[in-house]
């Protein structure tokens, strides 16, 4: 039993970043990380879920749903920032958990992060496809239904192609990815700004009444079984309903998907020039910028169009809102900008997945050959190629909504463990230097856990079952392979070379060696 909770010291994790076979190139700064964060957060969540949740859950109060989800992320982000500045190593919550909870929990969180990033990238690739088809509709390049949908056709071909393309860009190097991201983020911010500035003039105050629609039972044709009902409703025998306060909370659990990605910044710590300073700036800065923009977009869209007139199945609700008021040229610009913008979200989520898997492979929990880096680009090219193919298959054959719910539950679970982990590391390793310390850590971490768990309970039973099946598969993999191949379990570690000169004895004393 003790072997299940064996920990990998922070010193060992940091030391192994200098292993020549596994060393990543440090080339990112605070601006790069903030742009990465903004780039990955602003994606299909705001471009797609705004219409869906307003129409089916919260009405104009979707702005409150986004604020609640943003609060949950902010609490978790404060914990992430402390961890990332203390343990500046690839792997994000996986690496943090290895140093606090032990190997079994680290594996669980790593397996969970694989779900979050891989499925998240697949969902965003499907969202990209929806906007691309909106742009190409009516032109000679229109995508046939059979090649544009996982649910109504044979395969979602645009989603497959974009997944493979971003994998190729990532193999080319982290700085190349950063430059591509900067250009696309500028386009995406311009689109969001256009929605806010131009949309304000078309707001009808009457559309905000009632701001929180009165709670009402689900429609007669709705599926009210355990599979399609929020878990909290099934557990407490509540009558299934939509709108009202319950609808706003359920909406927050769904739009939480729109905030995923700021934790990707933590996975790039090992490729950051000054991670102790720059990673907290990147995490907290990007989240603050995006939360303000999201709430503003919600007010504009629900003010332009009555929530009852929004089609929940519309894959491009922002563009449709401008179509509804007769400003088609803006709708076209939004569709084009969103199409371009979603490419970078897929790119960054794939990057997050590859860094987590890279860290797990370097620890021996996945085949160590996957942790080899490209001799020229210094990127984990093997795991990146495998991830690209996996994302392509998922996005090509699974619908967007199913993917989005799975990402939300996986991310919320990861946030809970990180929030608990920062408390544990404060007690077990108070001696560690912390460039950033979570303020009122006991209160912040506790609230983060409670709020994240409550949002998880508001996800439907079907999502919970899929999540539990995925985690069960992870347990089989761990006990069948990872536990016996663990480098910590085998006592294998990397020690940086020490200076030979006697005059360097002081440097020897200060060198970082495995704990």
């Amino acid at each position: 039993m003790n072997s299940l909770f064996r920990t990998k010291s922070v010193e060992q994790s940091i030391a192994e970043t200098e292993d020549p076979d596994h060393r990543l190139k440090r080339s990112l700064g605070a601006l790069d990380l903030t742009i990465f964060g903004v780039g990955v957060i602003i994606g299909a969540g705001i471009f797609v879920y705004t219409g869906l949740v307003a129409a089916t859950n919260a009405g104009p109060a979707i702005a409150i749903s986004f604020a609640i989800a943003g609060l949950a992320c902010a609490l978790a982000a404060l914990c992430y920032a402390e961890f990332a500045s203390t343990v500046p190593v690839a792997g994000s919550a996986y690496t943090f958990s290895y140093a606090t909870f032990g190997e079994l929990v680290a594996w669980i969180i790593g397996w969970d992060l694989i779900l979050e990033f891989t499925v998240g990238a697949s969902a965003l690739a499907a969202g990209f496809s929806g906007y691309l088809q909106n742009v190409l509709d009516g032109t000679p390049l229109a995508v046939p239904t059979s090649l544009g949908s996982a649910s109504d056709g044979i395969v979602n071909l645009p989603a497959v192609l974009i997944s493979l393309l971003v994998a190729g860009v990532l193999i080319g190097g982290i700085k190349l990815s950063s430059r591509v991201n900067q250009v696309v983020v500028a386009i995406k911010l311009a689109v969001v700004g256009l929605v806010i500035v131009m949309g304000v003039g078309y707001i009808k105050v009457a559309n905000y009444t009632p701001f929180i629609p009165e709670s009402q039972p689900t429609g007669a044709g709705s599926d009210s079984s355990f599979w399609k009902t929020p878990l909290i409703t099934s557990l407490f025998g509540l009558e299934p309903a939509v709108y009202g306060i319950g609808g706003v909370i359920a909406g927050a659990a769904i739009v939480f998907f729109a905030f995923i990605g700021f934790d990707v910044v933590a996975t790039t710590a090992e490729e950051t020039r000054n991670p102790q300073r720059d990673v907290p700036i990147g995490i907290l800065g990007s989240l603050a910028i995006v939360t303000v923009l999201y709430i503003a977009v919600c007010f504009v869209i629900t003010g332009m169009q009555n929530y009852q007139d929004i089609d929940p199945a519309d894959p491009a609700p922002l563009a449709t809102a401008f179509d509804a008021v007769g400003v088609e040229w803006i709708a076209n610009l939004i569709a084009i900008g969103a199409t371009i913008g979603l490419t970078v979200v897929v790119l960054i989520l794939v990057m997050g997945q590859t860094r987590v898997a890279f860290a797990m492979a370097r620890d021996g929990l996945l085949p160590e050959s996957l942790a080899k880096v490209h001799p020229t680009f210094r990127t984990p090219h093997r795991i990146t190629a495998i991830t690209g193919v996996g994302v392509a298959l998922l996005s090509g054959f699974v619908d967007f909504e199913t993917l989005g719910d799975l990402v939300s539950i996986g991310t919320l679970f990861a946030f809970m463990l990180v929030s608990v982990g920062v408390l544990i590391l404060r007690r077990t390793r108070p001696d560690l230097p912390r460039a950033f310390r979570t303020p009122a850590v006991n209160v912040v971490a506790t609230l983060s856990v409670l709020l994240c768990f409550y949002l998880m309970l508001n996800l439907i039973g079907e999502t919970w079952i899929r999540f539990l099946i995925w985690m069960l598969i992870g347990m089989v993999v761990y006990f069948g392979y990872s536990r016996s191949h663990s480098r910590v379990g085998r006592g294998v570690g990397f020690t940086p070379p020490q200076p030979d000169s006697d005059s360097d004895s002081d440097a020897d004393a200060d060198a970082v060696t495995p704990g």
Side-chain angles (χ1 to χ4, degrees):
M1 286 297 295
N2 288 338
S3 68
L4 298 180
F5 301 100
R6 55 198 177 202
T7 59
K8 180 180 180 182
S9 72
V10 172
E11 290 81 1
Q12 178 67 37
S13 294
I14 295 175
E16 289 182 353
T17 65
E18 298 302 320
D19 185 341
D21 289 335
H22 302 140
R23 186 171 61 242
L24 299 173
K25 186 177 181 180
R26 293 186 181 275
S27 57
L28 302 177
L31 180 61
D32 293 310
L33 298 184
T34 302
I35 293 174
F36 263 131
V38 172
V40 70
I41 299 172
I42 298 180
I46 189 64
F47 288 130
V48 178
Y49 271 152
T50 310
L52 171 66
V53 176
T56 60
N57 290 89
I62 184 177
I64 299 178
S65 296
F66 270 99
I68 293 171
L71 174 62
C73 286
L75 294 171
L78 289 169
C79 298
Y80 260 97
E82 176 170 328
F83 251 138
S85 65
T86 307
V87 193
V89 179
S92 184
Y94 158 75
T95 301
F96 309 154
S97 298
Y98 216 153
T100 52
F101 295 106
E103 185 172 281
L104 177 61
V105 177
W107 167 262
I108 291 172
I109 196 66
W111 192 250
D112 175 58
L113 288 174
I114 290 175
L115 174 73
E116 174 191 344
F117 292 137
T118 303
V119 178
S122 304
L124 271 296
F128 158 85
S129 178
Y131 267 93
L132 178 65
Q133 291 175 62
N134 183 279
V135 171
L136 299 179
D137 189 33
T139 72
L141 297 177
V143 180
T145 303
S146 60
L147 299 179
S149 172
S151 55
D152 299 326
I154 300 172
V155 62
N156 193 332
L157 184 60
V160 171
L161 295 178
I162 194 62
S163 302
L164 298 177
L165 175 63
V166 300
V169 171
L170 284 168
I171 290 174
I174 187 66
K175 196 61 181 178
L176 171 62
S177 304
S178 178
R179 287 171 180 163
V180 171
N181 182 49
Q182 289 174 11
V183 173
V184 177
V185 167
I187 295 172
K188 192 166 14 177
L189 287 176
V191 171
V192 174
L194 183 67
V195 170
I196 296 170
V197 173
M198 297 300 295
V200 167
Y202 296 96
I203 289 176
K204 296 179 181 178
V205 178
N207 287 334
Y208 293 135
T209 305
F211 188 69
I212 301 180
E214 185 178 349
S215 179
Q216 55 187 265
T218 55
S222 301
D223 186 350
S224 59
S225 66
F226 167 82
W227 300 96
K228 299 297 182 181
T229 303
L231 185 63
I232 192 169
T233 299
S234 299
L235 288 176
F236 295 100
L238 303 175
E239 187 69 25
V242 294
Y243 304 125
I245 297 298
V248 172
I249 300 297
I254 297 171
V255 302
F256 186 86
F257 174 81
F259 288 92
I260 69 160
F262 77 80
D263 49 329
V264 173
V265 176
T267 72
T268 64
E270 198 171 322
E271 295 161 274
T272 304
R273 290 189 294 270
N274 185 1
Q276 286 81 4
R277 179 183 73 91
D278 295 343
V279 172
I281 292 174
I283 291 175
L284 298 172
S286 59
L287 184 61
I289 292 169
V290 168
T291 301
V292 172
L293 292 176
Y294 276 5
I295 293 175
V297 168
C298 289
F299 276 116
V300 168
I301 296 304
T302 54
M304 291 176 63
Q305 189 176 19
N306 191 284
Y307 74 94
Q308 294 176 320
D309 297 329
I310 298 176
D311 180 4
D314 184 2
L318 301 192
T320 301
F322 282 92
D323 276 333
V325 294
V327 193
E328 294 185 5
W329 68 272
I330 295 182
N332 293 333
L333 282 179
I334 291 172
I336 293 171
T339 302
I340 297 172
L342 288 172
T343 61
V344 82
V345 190
V346 179
L347 181 147
I348 301 175
L349 286 175
V350 170
M351 181 187 70
Q353 152 59 11
T354 60
R355 272 43 179 184
V356 171
F358 168 81
M360 296 174 74
R362 187 166 59 187
D363 290 336
L365 301 185
L366 293 175
E368 290 187 50
S369 61
L370 298 179
K372 294 291 184 182
V373 297
H374 194 281
T376 303
F377 303 128
R378 307 305 299 174
T379 56
H381 59 294
R382 295 178 180 176
I383 191 61
T384 301
I386 293 171
T387 299
V389 172
V391 170
L393 291 174
L394 274 176
S395 62
F397 297 99
V398 182
D399 66 271
F400 174 85
E401 189 174 352
T402 298
L403 292 169
D405 286 350
L406 269 174
V407 175
S408 292
I409 194 169
T411 307
L412 286 162
F413 182 64
F415 286 2
M416 287 174 60
L417 287 183
V418 167
S419 299
V420 174
V422 77
L423 291 175
I424 293 176
L425 200 62
R426 281 280 188 100
R427 288 173 170 77
T428 58
R429 293 300 307 273
D431 57 304
L432 287 174
R434 291 169 168 82
F436 177 89
R437 297 178 70 88
T438 303
V441 64
N442 291 322
V443 175
V444 169
T446 301
L447 287 176
S448 176
V449 171
L450 293 176
L451 187 51
C452 287
F453 183 63
Y454 184 63
L455 291 178
M456 287 176 71
L457 290 177
N458 279 273
L459 291 168
I460 62 174
E462 183 178 42
T463 299
W464 274 88
I465 295 299
R466 286 179 174 143
F467 176 67
L468 293 175
I469 290 174
W470 173 256
M471 300 311 292
L472 180 61
I473 293 172
M475 289 294 96
V476 173
V477 175
Y478 176 75
F479 287 103
Y481 175 88
S482 304
R483 185 182 181 191
S484 59
H485 289 77
S486 165
R487 287 167 64 89
V488 172
R490 290 182 287 129
V492 178
F494 171 76
T495 303
Q498 303 293 311
D500 295 328
S501 171
D502 291 339
S503 62
D504 289 329
S505 58
D506 290 340
D508 286 351
D510 294 334
V512 177
T513 54

